[in-house]
Amino acid sequence: MPNMSSIKAEQQSAPMGGTGSYQLPVNMCTSSSNSSNSSAMTMTTTTGSATPSRHNVSVTNIKCELEELPTPNGNLVPVIANYNHGSLRIPLSGQPHTAEEESDSEAELTNIENLKVRRRAADKNGPRPMSWEGELSEPEENGGSCGGGGAELMETETVIKSEVCSTSTPIQAASTTCPTMQPIKTELENIAGELQHHPRSNAYPVSSCNGPAKLKLAPTQSDPINLKYEPPLGDNNSPLLTTRNKSNSGGHLPLPANPSPDSAIHSVYTHSSPSQSPLTSRHAPYTPSLSRNNSDASHSSCYSYSSEFSPTHSPIQARHAPPAGSMYPGSGSAAGNGGAGSSYGNGVHHHGMLYRPLKAEASSTGGSSQESAQNLSMDSASSAMDPLGSGSLPASPAGISRQQLINSPCPICGDKISGFHYGIFSCESCKGFFKRTVQNRKNYVCVRGGPCQVSISTRKKCPACRFEKCLQKGMKLEAIREDRTRGGRSTYQCSYTLPNSMLSPLLSPDQAVAAAAVASVANHQHQHQQHHQHQHQQQRLQQQMNGFSGSTSLPASPSLGGASIKTEESEAKTLRASSIPTLLQEIMEVEHLWQYTDAELARINQPLSAFASGGSSSSSSSSSAASTAHQNHQQQQQQQQPHQHQQQQLTNPLLASAGLSSNGENANPDLIAHLCNVADHRLYKIVKWCKSLPLFKNISIDDQICLLINSWCELLLFSCCFRSIDTPGEIKMSQGRKITLSQAKTNGLQTCIERMLNLTDHLRRLRVDRYEYVAMKVIVLLQSDTSELHEAVKVRECQEKALQGLQAYTLAHYPDTPSKFGELLLRIPDLQRTCQLGKEMLTIKTRDGADFNLLMELLRGEH
DNA sequence: GTAGCCTTGATC
DNA sequence: GATCAAGGCTAC
C-alpha cells in the first residue's frame, strides 16, 4: 500500500481522542491487530470497559435549558428553551487508547486491506452495484477491456484513500489517517454516498475505459456506487460470502443472493430493494443499479457549489438493466410496497391496477367520486416510456388525455409542459434545469432558507427551491442517465405522482380529493394483494430451498410486513393534517425503510431456517457442490464448536436488536457469521433509512459518517426495545422470538438484557408511541460529540429541529404528561450504556469467528 | 446558468 | 417509421 506509511505517520500524529470524546479514528486504531487475534480483541474489549473516561459518548449535543410553557390545557410544561452551546455527556464505559493497541493497527490494516482486495478479486464477477470505493465502473470491473483487475482495484483504493487523507479537515484527518479506520471509513463513505443519494456512481462518461483516471475524478465521497454494474444472475454473488468462504468456512453459506459486503449500499438496494419499500418503490420496483436515490430529496439547501458531494445524489441512471425478476425471483413482488414495486419482469401487476384510468376505477368501486387515481405507476420499462400516451400505458389517469396534461401548466413552474421528463410532465426549462443540476452536481442553497415560490417569472431566482420542487413533484434522479447516453427509451422504473396542481385544473375539486383517496385505497389493496402473493411466493421458494414443506411460512410480523408498512404509510398520510409536526410526519414516512419487508426477511432468514433445520436442509436452491461442501463444513464445525458459545451468539442482544436472530438449537458456527452478516444488513437498512431522513440529508457526508458510526448501535437497540414494549419481561426479536432475563442469565447476557428490559419498561411506562419513537431515533442519530463534526452547528440545528418536533408532538398529544418529552430524552443515556454493553459482548463473543464485515468493523472501531 | 431547439436511439 | 424521453448544442 503506497500510502500506508504516510497514513500510519499521520495516524500517529493525529489527535488521539482527548478526554471524554468519542474519537472515531482513535477508536478504530484501538482495534485488535487481527481479526483472528482473539487475545488482542479481548484485550481491547476488556480495557475498553476499564476506563470510562475514554468513551464518554455524547448524549446530546445540545444544551437543554428547561423552561415552563403553558399547554393548551393550562398546564405548565417544561420545555427545552435552549439547545445550544452545551453538551450533555454521559460517561460510558470505554477503553483506553494505548500505544500497544495502536501498534497493532497497521497489521490489522494490512489484514483488512488484504481481505478487501481478496474480496474484490473474488467478486470480480459478483454483484457490485456499489463498491467500497464505489468508483468502479463496469468497464473497470470487466477488467480485460480496461486493464482492470485486482491490481487496479488496489490502486484505486490507494488513490481514494490518499485523497481522503489529503482532503480531510483536521478533525476528519483524525478519522482518515488511522489505518484501521480506512476500511470502515471507506465503506462508510460509500454509505454516506448512499446517504447523500449521490447522483453518480462514476465520473462520466462511464462508458469509457479510463478507470483510474475516472476514479481520481470521483473521490470516494462523491461516487460511491457503481450504478452500472449488473450482477450476474442466480449465483451466490455475495462477495462477503466469498470472503467468508475463503477465510472462514471454506464453503458457502446458504445465503440468498447477497449484497456485497463491501457495499453497504448494495445491500440496501438488494435486501432492501426499492421494490420493497413504499416510498422507494414508488420510483422503482427493482432496477439494479438504478434506484439508489429514488427517494432522495434535495440537498439543495446546502451551499451552492458544484460538488463531488453532490446534493443531487443522482443515481444517474444506468440503462438497460436486466429484469429484476431474474435477479431476485422473490423480490419482484415486493409485498405491498408502493405499488410499482412488484413483479417487474413477471407482469404480476401493472397499470391495470395502479395506472388504470379513473373511469375503470370508478366502475370497480362503484363510486363516481372515486374517479381518479393520483398515483400513477409505471412499473415496467415500456410503461415508463409511455406515460399516458399511446402504447403500453393506460390512456390517462382519471381519464385525462396526454394532450390535456401537456396543455396543463408545469407542476414546477407553471410553464407549458413540453413532455414527460424524468418522471413527470414538465416544461422544457425545468427539464433542462433538473438535468443540469443533477449532471453538474449542483448544490444549491436557498438563501432564504425556505420554500421560495417557483413560477415562470421566479424560477431563476432560487434554484435550490426549484430543484427541491422538481424532486417534490416527482422528478426522478435515476432518470438522469449515468452514461449520458442519448436517445432511446428510458428504462428506469417510474412511478410518479401526478401532482394535485396538475390534477386540480383537470378535475373537479371532488374528483381531485377523491383521486388521492382512491389512489390510496387502490394502492393499499393492490399492495395487500401483492403482499399475499409475495408471501406465497416466498413460502414456496423457501420450501424449495429448504427441501421440505410446511413450517416455513414467513412470520406474521405486523411490524415488518409489507402490508403493515403500507398501513403505516397511509396512516402517516392520514395524520398529516393533524397536529403532528411536519418533521415527524416526514420521519415517519421513511420509517418503513427501517423495517424489513417479508421479502427481505425471507431472504435473510432463509439461511437461518437452513441452519436450524440442519445440514440436510441447509442447501440453497441449487444443489451445487458448493452447497454440499458447505453443509459438510457446517456439520464439521458444528461438532467443533461449544454449544454454549453458539447459544450465546444466537441470543446476543445486539444481534437481537437488529431484529434478526435465531435461537435454533442446531445452529452451527457459520450461523454466527451469518448473524453478523444479518446484522450488517440491518446496518445497511439503517443507512437506507438515514439517507431518507429529512434532516440527515442536509448534513455533510463526513458528518453523516460520524453520526452513523456514533449511533448505529443505539439505533438498533432502541428499535429492539421499542419492539418489545408489548412483551414485558421479554426482549422481542424477529419472528416472534424473545429473550427473557432468565434465558439471558444462562448465556451470560444478563446485564445487557436487563438493561434493555429496563429501558423497555421505561418506554412502556411512558407509553412511547410510534411518532415519539421515530423522533427519538433521529435525535439519537443526530447526537455526536461536536468535536468530531465538521459542521457541528448544522448537526446541532438538525437535532434541535428533531427535538422541537418531538417536543411539540408530546405537548400536543400528551398534554397531561408534560414531562414526557424530558423523560424521553432521559432514556437516551440508558440506551447508550446498554449499547456499550452490547458491543462489548458481541465483540467478545465473536472474536474467534469474527469475519470481516461492517458490523465487525464497527465493533472494532469502538473497541 | 437558462431555456429552446436539435439529435439520438430504444421501443412500439 | 413513429414516438418520445433522453442528452447535446447554443444563443441569450
Side-chain angles (χ1 to χ4, degrees):
Chain A
M1 287 302 180
N3 294 319
M4 194 69 71
S5 58
S6 60
I7 292 173
K8 178 66 177 177
E10 288 183 68
Q11 171 227 336
Q12 290 172 341
S13 61
M16 288 323 239
T19 60
S21 172
Y22 174 83
Q23 194 62 270
L24 171 63
V26 176
N27 292 337
M28 289 299 181
C29 289
T30 61
S31 50
S32 61
S33 62
N34 193 308
S35 62
S36 62
N37 188 338
S38 59
S39 62
M41 183 68 82
T42 304
M43 173 190 71
T44 54
T45 303
T46 304
T47 55
S49 10
T51 52
S53 62
R54 169 71 189 93
H55 266 283
N56 283 356
V57 175
S58 171
V59 171
T60 173
N61 300 325
I62 62 167
K63 178 181 180 179
C64 301
E65 295 179 5
L66 295 180
E67 291 182 359
E68 288 188 337
L69 293 180
T71 64
N73 64 359
N75 293 333
L76 284 178
V77 178
V79 299
I80 288 182
N82 182 6
Y83 303 115
N84 296 323
H85 313 303
S87 179
L88 173 58
R89 303 172 62 78
I90 304 301
L92 296 178
S93 61
Q95 66 270 1
H97 183 64
T98 65
E100 299 120 68
E101 291 164 358
E102 286 176 33
S103 68
D104 290 330
S105 59
E106 186 165 23
E108 171 162 345
L109 175 62
T110 303
N111 179 52
I112 291 173
E113 296 301 326
N114 290 339
L115 279 170
K116 291 177 66 177
V117 169
R118 285 205 308 272
R119 178 164 50 197
R120 291 195 185 91
D123 294 346
K124 246 172 78 175
N125 299 321
R128 283 205 48 196
M130 289 159 288
S131 67
W132 281 76
E133 290 72 32
E135 309 302 336
L136 300 180
S137 64
E138 190 170 33
E140 293 157 0
E141 287 207 359
N142 291 339
S145 60
C146 301
E152 183 172 318
L153 289 168
M154 294 174 68
E155 177 183 346
T156 297
E157 185 173 319
T158 301
V159 169
I160 292 169
K161 285 182 178 179
S162 175
E163 291 180 359
V164 169
C165 292
S166 63
T167 56
S168 295
T169 66
I171 294 175
Q172 180 62 18
S175 64
T176 56
T177 52
C178 170
T180 56
M181 170 62 186
Q182 286 303 322
I184 184 64
K185 167 69 175 176
T186 311
E187 170 120 355
L188 286 169
E189 282 175 351
N190 291 336
I191 293 173
E194 171 73 0
L195 294 169
Q196 286 244 1
H197 313 222
H198 201 283
R200 307 180 58 81
S201 67
N202 305 304
Y204 39 79
V206 295
S207 55
S208 72
C209 290
N210 303 325
K214 286 188 294 180
L215 290 166
K216 291 180 182 180
L217 286 174
T220 58
Q221 291 164 319
S222 65
D223 292 323
I225 299 165
N226 177 12
L227 293 174
K228 286 183 67 65
Y229 183 80
E230 295 170 3
L233 310 180
D235 294 330
N236 178 355
N237 43 21
S238 166
L240 178 59
L241 292 182
T242 303
T243 300
R244 181 162 296 144
N245 292 339
K246 287 185 176 181
S247 64
N248 195 14
S249 66
H252 287 274
L253 283 171
L255 283 174
N258 211 13
S260 166
D262 57 0
S263 165
I265 315 308
H266 179 203
S267 292
V268 168
Y269 283 96
T270 52
H271 288 271
S272 312
S273 166
S275 66
Q276 295 154 4
S277 62
L279 290 186
T280 51
S281 60
R282 191 166 52 104
H283 308 300
Y286 176 72
T287 304
S289 79
L290 295 189
S291 51
R292 299 180 50 241
N293 307 308
N294 42 38
S295 61
D296 280 5
S298 169
H299 280 218
S300 58
S301 57
C302 300
Y303 181 73
S304 172
Y305 60 95
S306 290
S307 171
E308 299 292 343
F309 306 65
S310 169
T312 56
H313 333 304
S314 167
I316 309 277
Q317 176 193 7
R319 307 183 68 193
H320 321 308
S326 60
M327 289 283 305
Y328 295 104
S331 66
S333 51
N337 295 320
S342 5
S343 71
Y344 177 69
N346 59 20
V348 169
H349 84 280
H350 274 295
H351 328 112
M353 173 61 80
L354 293 181
Y355 208 90
R356 74 190 112 193
L358 290 184
K359 288 179 181 177
E361 182 70 39
S363 64
S364 65
T365 58
S368 59
S369 64
Q370 298 175 333
E371 291 184 344
S372 60
Q374 188 174 17
N375 293 328
L376 310 174
S377 298
M378 297 178 292
D379 52 27
S380 71
S382 60
S383 63
M385 313 302 315
D386 199 5
L388 306 179
S390 59
S392 58
L393 275 185
S396 70
I400 304 166
S401 71
R402 176 187 174 83
Q403 192 57 45
Q404 277 182 295
L405 285 168
I406 288 184
N407 290 336
S408 60
C410 170
I412 299 163
C413 69
D415 203 348
K416 183 181 186 308
I417 285 177
S418 67
F420 190 76
H421 306 300
Y422 309 121
I424 68 170
F425 284 92
S426 71
C427 67
E428 194 68 21
S429 67
C430 287
K431 167 201 164 190
F433 168 77
F434 187 78
K435 181 182 70 175
R436 286 192 307 273
T437 303
V438 175
Q439 286 185 336
N440 299 329
R441 308 178 184 186
K442 297 298 180 184
N443 197 350
Y444 297 116
V445 61
C446 175
V447 294
R448 300 177 182 176
C452 302
Q453 181 191 15
V454 180
S455 64
I456 297 178
S457 58
T458 63
R459 65 191 180 193
K460 292 181 181 177
K461 294 182 178 178
C462 183
C465 291
R466 188 184 189 185
F467 185 70
E468 187 71 33
K469 196 169 182 181
C470 287
L471 293 170
Q472 178 191 346
K473 294 299 181 184
M475 278 194 171
K476 304 296 184 294
L477 295 163
E478 59 265 36
I480 303 294
R481 292 171 181 169
E482 177 184 22
D483 55 4
R484 297 199 171 196
T485 305
R486 300 174 67 182
R489 305 240 181 192
S490 294
T491 55
Y492 72 94
Q493 305 310 298
C494 179
S495 165
Y496 69 96
T497 297
L498 191 62
N500 284 328
S501 59
M502 291 180 66
L503 272 178
S504 298
L506 303 166
L507 301 173
S508 69
D510 287 345
Q511 284 176 320
V513 170
V518 170
S520 175
V521 170
N523 279 338
H524 186 85
Q525 291 174 341
H526 172 71
Q527 288 155 5
H528 189 66
Q529 180 184 5
Q530 282 188 322
H531 173 71
H532 286 294
Q533 288 176 344
H534 185 65
Q535 269 198 328
H536 180 67
Q537 291 172 355
Q538 284 294 331
Q539 183 173 351
R540 229 174 23 190
L541 178 65
Q542 202 163 29
Q543 287 172 358
Q544 292 170 354
M545 287 181 156
N546 291 333
F548 62 90
S549 59
S551 70
T552 56
S553 59
L554 293 173
S557 175
S559 62
L560 297 172
S564 67
I565 291 173
K566 177 57 191 173
T567 301
E568 189 175 272
E569 186 186 37
S570 301
E571 183 180 312
K573 288 179 179 177
T574 303
L575 292 172
R576 183 174 286 279
S578 69
S579 57
I580 298 171
T582 303
L583 177 62
L584 263 59
Q585 295 177 25
E586 293 172 354
I587 294 172
M588 181 61 82
E589 285 183 353
V590 303
E591 176 63 14
H592 68 278
L593 297 173
W594 178 278
Q595 299 168 337
Y596 279 98
T597 63
D598 283 349
E600 292 165 335
L601 280 176
R603 278 194 296 269
I604 293 172
N605 288 327
Q606 176 259 326
L608 290 178
S609 301
F611 280 120
S613 59
S616 62
S617 59
S618 64
S619 62
S620 63
S621 55
S622 68
S623 57
S624 63
S627 294
T628 304
H630 178 56
Q631 292 168 21
N632 294 336
H633 181 72
Q634 285 180 336
Q635 292 169 349
Q636 193 176 10
Q637 287 204 338
Q638 265 186 313
Q639 298 168 359
Q640 295 171 352
Q641 293 289 330
H643 181 71
Q644 183 179 359
H645 178 67
Q646 297 170 19
Q647 283 299 317
Q648 289 178 346
Q649 295 281 356
L650 296 172
T651 53
N652 183 279
L654 187 54
L655 292 174
S657 69
L660 296 152
S661 181
S662 169
N663 54 6
E665 296 177 357
N666 297 323
N668 64 58
D670 273 354
L671 180 56
I672 305 310
H674 168 67
L675 289 178
C676 289
N677 191 35
V678 161
D680 266 10
H681 296 157
R682 171 37 96 185
L683 293 172
Y684 302 151
K685 293 284 289 186
I686 293 181
V687 172
K688 181 71 176 176
W689 168 74
C690 285
K691 80 163 201 173
S692 298
L693 284 175
L695 293 173
F696 202 70
K697 289 183 292 191
N698 296 328
I699 296 172
S700 71
I701 183 169
D702 287 329
D703 287 350
Q704 288 182 350
I705 295 170
C706 176
L707 294 172
L708 262 176
I709 291 177
N710 229 14
S711 64
W712 65 271
C713 186
E714 282 81 356
L715 293 170
L716 287 178
L717 282 192
F718 186 59
S719 171
C720 189
C721 290
F722 181 75
R723 186 191 305 135
S724 307
I725 278 185
D726 58 351
T727 56
E730 297 174 329
I731 295 300
K732 190 188 292 181
M733 297 187 244
S734 65
Q735 301 184 351
R737 295 190 178 97
K738 300 164 185 174
I739 298 177
T740 63
L741 187 57
S742 59
Q743 291 171 333
K745 286 178 182 176
T746 63
N747 295 330
L749 302 172
Q750 177 183 3
T751 309
C752 188
I753 294 297
E754 193 169 16
R755 286 180 179 273
M756 292 179 72
L757 287 170
N758 183 53
L759 175 58
T760 305
D761 289 341
H762 279 293
L763 299 181
R764 186 182 307 109
R765 174 181 60 83
L766 292 170
R767 297 183 181 180
V768 176
D769 67 25
R770 197 154 189 80
Y771 280 94
E772 293 164 335
Y773 159 68
V774 299
M776 285 185 70
K777 278 199 302 182
V778 174
I779 292 169
V780 166
L781 172 66
L782 292 174
Q783 60 188 221
S784 181
D785 191 294
T786 54
S787 65
E788 302 169 22
L789 300 171
H790 294 173
E791 298 175 308
V793 173
K794 179 183 284 187
V795 173
R796 193 159 52 232
E797 287 173 352
C798 289
Q799 193 190 45
E800 286 175 21
K801 290 177 183 175
L803 284 163
Q804 289 164 353
L806 175 60
Q807 183 183 32
Y809 178 85
T810 55
L811 288 177
H813 290 77
Y814 303 97
D816 295 334
T817 54
S819 64
K820 186 173 188 181
F821 174 62
E823 290 208 57
L824 290 175
L825 297 185
L826 287 174
R827 294 305 110 210
I828 295 177
D830 287 345
L831 174 63
Q832 293 182 314
R833 281 191 290 266
T834 307
C835 282
Q836 199 68 17
L837 278 172
K839 289 173 184 175
E840 291 167 4
M841 288 180 178
L842 186 57
T843 303
I844 294 170
K845 294 179 188 308
T846 56
R847 65 182 184 271
D848 293 330
D851 203 349
F852 185 82
N853 57 16
L854 179 56
L855 176 64
M856 286 301 106
E857 286 188 45
L858 289 167
L859 287 169
R860 287 172 185 157
E862 298 203 5
H863 291 277

